[in-house]
Amino acid sequence: MSNIWIAASDNKLDQVKTLIESKQFNSNSKDPNGYTPIHAAVSYGYIDLLNYLLENGGNINIQDNEGDTPLHHVEDLKIAKYLIEKLKADYKIKNNDGLTAQEFIEEEDEFPEISNYLKSLIHDKPEESNNESKNNSNESNEIKKANEFLESLPEPGKINNGHEIKYSLQSDTTENDENLTNEELQIRRDKIEKILNSENPEEGLRELVTNAVHEGLLSYQQESNDGEDKEEPNLKKQK
């Protein structure tokens, strides 16, 4: 039976399983150079084998005798992204020469696409300035207020003081709201939720309130006009 490093290099998953289950080796077993089956799986791009090794105690950041992690020996961009984005491999670890995986690969000058990808991850996002932090805090408070405002809104379609609750996001008076179904009213409510999840919910809510006032004025004017068509009651005091 071959050793686990050869089996891993040949992608013989069944043999690797047998060797690990026999307790002769484990996922982090090192050869005389500190090379592990995890290094082999990453180097050759064997995803299934790699996942098995990690599920059985493997360390994605394990280092060989030269301090190289599996990421130092990745040869495929897809695998590099998988290690970092899925497996959360630490791309900042340095080997014995003080080189990160990006610096090591760049020095080897064989996989520039991997080097460029890793280079894009090197610099952390700059710390927020006090003003940016304050703005973000204000924005968070506005979103919180907006969410509270949404929760306070009555459900569309319900009757309140003899009036049906309706929401409108535009000042288009040509549409006959009375013909809207509950489903269409719910769509309008969904639009409100989209406003609250937008980049500028405060502006969206301001527009919502403006349109609501506009709709209310139109409704009032319509009722007033309807009243003018009827005979006005005699408000004089009867003698």
Side-chain angles (χ1 to χ4, degrees), residues 13-14 46-47 55 95 120 134 140-141 153 159 167 204 238:
L13 182 55
D14 290 340
Y46 301 146
I47 293 294
E55 289 168 0
N95 61 16
S120 70
K134 184 177 180 180
S140 178
N141 289 334
L153 294 175
I159 304 300
Y167 298 105
Q238 299 293 329

Side-chain angles (χ1 to χ4, degrees), residues 1-156:
M1 184 179 294
S2 64
N3 63 49
I4 194 170
W5 307 290
I6 295 177
S9 297
D10 292 337
N11 197 27
K12 295 181 178 179
L13 182 55
D14 290 340
Q15 286 190 17
V16 171
K17 288 181 178 180
T18 299
L19 291 168
I20 289 180
E21 291 170 359
S22 70
K23 308 298 183 182
Q24 297 181 63
F25 300 92
N26 60 56
S27 297
N28 299 315
S29 292
K30 295 184 176 182
D31 71 3
N33 296 313
Y35 190 75
T36 72
I38 298 177
H39 283 83
V42 169
S43 179
Y44 290 102
Y46 301 146
I47 293 294
D48 291 341
L49 173 61
L50 175 62
N51 288 335
Y52 170 79
L53 293 169
L54 297 179
E55 289 168 0
N56 287 272
N59 177 10
I60 192 58
N61 295 315
I62 193 168
Q63 294 174 273
D64 61 20
N65 292 353
E66 295 181 352
D68 293 338
T69 67
L71 188 59
H72 280 77
H73 293 281
V74 68
E75 298 183 3
D76 183 274
L77 178 59
K78 179 180 177 181
I79 303 300
K81 290 183 176 181
Y82 185 80
L83 262 62
I84 293 173
E85 299 172 13
K86 179 71 174 179
L87 302 179
K88 308 303 179 185
D90 188 350
Y91 55 86
K92 296 181 180 179
I93 294 177
K94 296 181 178 180
N95 61 16
N96 297 347
D97 293 326
L99 301 176
T100 63
Q102 183 275 323
E103 293 167 336
F104 178 79
I105 294 172
E106 184 177 48
E107 189 175 86
E108 294 293 316
D109 196 25
E110 289 184 346
F111 307 103
E113 70 282 0
I114 299 177
S115 175
N116 290 335
Y117 167 70
L118 294 175
K119 187 179 295 184
S120 70
L121 305 174
I122 294 299
H123 301 290
D124 293 330
K125 294 182 179 179
E127 296 183 1
E128 294 180 341
S129 65
N130 290 335
N131 288 336
E132 290 175 336
S133 179
K134 184 177 180 180
N135 290 337
N136 288 337
S137 177
N138 290 338
E139 182 179 353
S140 178
N141 289 334
E142 291 298 335
I143 293 176
K144 181 179 179 181
K145 292 178 181 178
N147 286 330
E148 292 175 352
F149 171 74
L150 177 63
E151 291 298 325
S152 70
L153 294 175
E155 292 288 338

Side-chain angles (χ1 to χ4, degrees), residues 30 55 89 120 133 143 178 180 205 210 218 225 231 239:
K30 295 184 176 182
E55 289 168 0
S120 70
S133 179
I143 293 176
E178 299 297 332
L180 292 179
L205 287 174
T210 300
L218 290 175
N225 292 335
E231 181 179 356
K239 294 183 180 180

